[in-house]
Amino acid sequence: FVRRTKGKRDRLAPLLEETGAALADYILRARPKVDSPYLFLSFTPPVGPFKYASPVSRIVRKRLRHGGVELGRVAGAHLLRHSLATQLVRQRTPINEVADLLGHRSINTTALYVKVAVSQLAEVALPFPGGVA
């Protein structure tokens, strides 16, 4: 259960078993021992919830660089979201399911991710009537 997402809404999201195991490990071994209802906390004093996305984006960029990932123009926390959507589209997940997972209210917002599937669109394109001009 995810509270107060970017769209200021609560929603349910699937949790893979390995993700659940990683979260449990974080809670048991790494999370600062403070009384806070928030799951993810800043290790930088004062320890508490992240107030903005920028520290999370810095952490993501640092870990990606550490993993040898080339960082382009879009790098940070949003890159993870974009990568997930791109992979789902490439795997031919129905666009409405991708929209639900991302929490998009409008299918038009999710449709932006379809542009990455141009090669797949070419596979199903019908020949131009009358041949090539």
Side-chain angles (χ1 to χ4, degrees), residues 27-120:
I27 291 166
L28 295 171
R29 294 182 180 84
R31 186 178 179 276
K33 306 289 188 236
V34 296
D35 186 28
S36 174
Y38 293 93
L39 177 59
F40 296 108
L41 303 171
S42 168
F43 283 75
T44 308
V47 173
F50 294 101
K51 292 187 170 91
Y52 307 101
S54 56
V56 176
S57 289
R58 278 195 298 277
I59 292 167
V60 170
R61 280 193 304 272
K62 180 180 177 183
R63 300 311 305 161
L64 288 171
R65 276 196 294 274
H66 184 264
V69 175
E70 289 279 329
L71 300 179
R73 190 175 62 86
V74 178
H78 190 75
L79 177 64
L80 299 177
R81 181 180 171 82
H82 185 78
S83 296
L84 170 65
T86 300
Q87 283 300 101
L88 291 172
V89 168
R90 285 186 178 142
Q91 294 169 8
R92 293 181 164 80
T93 303
I95 195 80
N96 60 320
E97 290 180 25
V98 177
D100 288 344
L101 184 62
L102 296 176
H104 291 162
R105 292 180 189 182
S106 168
I107 201 81
N108 293 331
T109 305
T110 313
L112 297 172
Y113 294 102
V114 175
K115 68 183 176 190
V116 301
V118 172
S119 62
Q120 291 174 359

